[in-house]
Amino acid sequence: MTPHVDSHRDLLQALSHSLEPRKDKEEGKKSTRDQDAHGDCGSGQFETVQPCHRSDVLSLCDTCCASHSVPVTLCEAQQEASRGPWNHFSTTGFVLTRLFNESQMHLFLFSMVVLVYILAMAGNATMVLLIWADAQLHKPMYFLLSQLSFLDIFFSSVTVPKMIVAFLFDWTSISFGGCGAQMFFFMFLGAAECLLLALMAYDRYVAICNPLRYPVLMSRRVCLLMVVSSWLGGSLNASIQTSLTLKFPFCGSRNVTHFFCEVPSLLMLACADTEAYEQVLFVTGVVVLLVPIAFITTSYAFILVAVLQMRSVEGRQKALATCSSHLTVVNLFYGPLVYTYMLPASYHSPGQDDVVSVFYTVLTPLLNPVIYSLRNKEVTGAMRKVIGKCGVHRNA
């Protein structure tokens, strides 16, 4: 690299440093630094650097780039750094990261993700319709299961369609409002599902430990209250986190290092101190994740004691089969969320975060109806009945 290019790099860095808000506050009363070289952009020397306006930096970058004395990428970086904070008043938004590229392997992975998404939508929709249509499934456990499938349908649809469009048409940009809406519904549906899974553990506890009082303790009114509570808790969590995240000023790059808008990825773009908010985020993670996990663990501890005291082998096997299905779903859903929101940032990398996000936004919603349908004789019986009726109608 030639000496005059090095001096231009020093000039641009000095000018960009003079525009940084934090250093203006801390060093506003300090004297400006004197430089030893003298001259203009073309000569590679300059006089004492004085505080200047953003337009001066952009003009200087344009002049140097036009004369080819400074690499274009360097000028673009300095122009990006010289831009001031922006937020919801800005007309532009963010740019999401494409999950897949044009390679053959990524094309295959993209096809698999789309296939899994379609199967998840079909499986959960079938579960909802089956529970609604079959009178034998009009029980509290299946009512809560239908709500779980309902949440899974929309939980996957918040992120996957945008990822598909970004790959097929290269539409990776998303508006500020669109990013906020995606983040809100993602956290709303995710938190609601966490709370609903915890309440489903209470349903299993009552059914096994207090079977005689089950119709009273799990009445239709109680079931509706459980569902409404999970939805309200999810909306409250999403409202707090979305509003606090979008209040931060964003500066510099607009590229989100994720294929959808998520709180940890947006906090990386904030140009303010986010340490206090990260502590708030950790507390909400404890409330939404760890407290339900503790509730589920306590419920199943009592269930295990009750099952071990059963004399009937058949009853013990039936109870364990029902509980194992719910525990499998809990582990598949809570595990990735604990990794994403509870572990420190040093344990994360963009590649790992993408894999984990695909797992709990696409694969888990597919596995939920499969696990409950394969391990539940009442669900499989109702499915055979529906298939049999369809075959009779076709023959007629």
Side-chain angles (χ1 to χ4, degrees):
M1 184 178 292
T2 59
H4 70 277
V5 173
D6 291 335
S7 62
H8 288 316
R9 183 188 297 273
D10 296 337
L11 170 62
L12 292 175
Q13 290 178 351
L15 291 177
S16 63
H17 289 326
S18 68
L19 293 175
E20 293 182 4
R22 294 179 183 175
K23 291 187 178 180
D24 284 344
K25 293 179 180 179
E26 298 175 358
E27 303 177 1
K29 296 182 179 181
K30 296 181 181 180
S31 60
T32 59
R33 297 177 178 178
D34 296 333
Q35 306 295 332
D36 295 333
H38 300 279
D40 58 1
C41 174
S43 63
Q45 299 176 339
F46 59 97
E47 297 180 355
T48 302
V49 177
Q50 300 293 338
C52 59
H53 297 287
R54 186 179 299 109
S55 59
D56 297 333
V57 177
L58 298 178
S59 176
L60 177 61
C61 280
D62 294 338
T63 304
C64 293
C65 287
S67 62
H68 302 286
S69 59
V70 177
V72 175
T73 56
L74 176 61
C75 285
E76 291 177 350
Q78 295 299 330
Q79 289 177 354
E80 191 73 30
S82 65
R83 293 173 183 170
W86 58 278
N87 50 22
H88 57 278
F89 297 106
S90 176
T91 57
T92 56
F94 298 97
V95 178
L96 302 177
T97 301
R98 291 181 60 180
L99 186 60
F100 304 104
N101 55 35
E102 304 295 337
S103 66
Q104 293 294 327
M105 177 59 69
H106 278 223
L107 181 60
F108 171 76
L109 294 176
F110 170 77
S111 303
M112 293 301 299
V113 169
V114 173
L115 178 61
V116 170
Y117 172 70
I118 295 174
L119 292 176
M121 296 298 100
N124 284 285
T126 301
M127 185 67 71
V128 172
L129 294 176
L130 190 65
I131 294 173
W132 174 77
D134 196 313
Q136 293 184 354
L137 300 181
H138 291 177
K139 300 177 182 179
M141 184 184 78
Y142 298 111
F143 173 73
L144 297 177
L145 179 58
S146 66
Q147 296 301 311
L148 179 65
S149 297
F150 186 77
L151 287 173
D152 280 336
I153 292 174
F154 291 97
F155 185 66
S156 295
S157 300
V158 170
T159 58
V160 178
K162 178 62 179 177
M163 181 268 293
I164 295 175
V165 170
F167 178 80
L168 294 178
F169 306 103
D170 201 24
W171 294 346
T172 56
S173 62
I174 185 171
S175 64
F176 194 92
C179 185
Q182 187 182 53
M183 184 167 52
F184 172 83
F185 284 108
F186 178 79
M187 289 188 294
F188 162 52
L189 296 169
E193 187 162 343
C194 287
L195 298 176
L196 183 62
L197 287 172
L199 296 175
M200 291 175 69
Y202 172 76
D203 169 74
R204 292 297 84 207
Y205 163 76
V206 176
I208 295 175
C209 299
N210 296 284
L212 298 179
R213 300 185 60 191
Y214 185 78
V216 177
L217 296 178
M218 290 300 298
S219 63
R220 184 173 182 82
R221 180 180 179 182
V222 174
C223 291
L224 291 175
L225 183 61
M226 285 182 172
V227 173
V228 172
S229 299
S230 64
W231 284 67
L232 289 178
S235 62
L236 178 62
N237 171 73
S239 299
I240 294 174
Q241 294 196 22
T242 303
S243 60
L244 291 178
T245 301
L246 296 183
K247 281 185 178 180
F248 283 108
F250 299 98
C251 53
S253 176
R254 302 172 188 267
N255 297 321
V256 179
T257 58
H258 208 29
F259 67 95
F260 66 93
C261 291
E262 196 173 16
V263 173
S265 300
L266 290 183
L267 291 181
M268 296 175 62
L269 304 180
C271 56
D273 186 11
T274 61
E275 183 178 357
Y277 176 60
E278 289 175 359
Q279 295 177 356
V280 174
L281 188 63
F282 179 82
V283 172
T284 57
V286 170
V287 174
V288 177
L289 294 175
L290 298 188
V291 171
I293 290 176
F295 182 80
I296 293 171
T297 304
T298 304
S299 299
Y300 276 100
F302 286 108
I303 290 174
L304 181 61
V305 173
V307 169
L308 293 178
Q309 294 176 352
M310 290 182 179
R311 296 182 179 180
S312 173
V313 177
E314 183 180 355
R316 185 183 303 174
Q317 291 178 349
K318 183 178 180 180
L320 290 177
T322 304
C323 294
S324 61
S325 300
H326 181 252
L327 280 176
T328 304
V329 172
V330 167
N331 291 327
L332 290 174
F333 190 75
Y334 275 94
L337 289 178
V338 170
Y339 166 83
T340 302
Y341 291 98
M342 301 302 299
L343 292 183
S346 58
Y347 290 86
H348 293 260
S349 68
Q352 292 177 348
D353 291 344
D354 287 339
V355 173
V356 172
S357 298
V358 170
F359 183 84
Y360 69 81
T361 58
V362 182
L363 188 59
T364 301
L366 170 65
L367 296 178
N368 288 351
V370 173
I371 292 171
Y372 277 105
S373 61
L374 293 179
R375 296 191 176 186
N376 193 295
K377 294 182 179 180
E378 292 181 336
V379 174
T380 54
M383 193 173 299
R384 291 195 192 98
K385 189 186 301 183
V386 171
I387 295 174
K389 288 181 179 180
C390 294
V392 170
H393 287 301
R394 286 183 180 180
N395 293 331

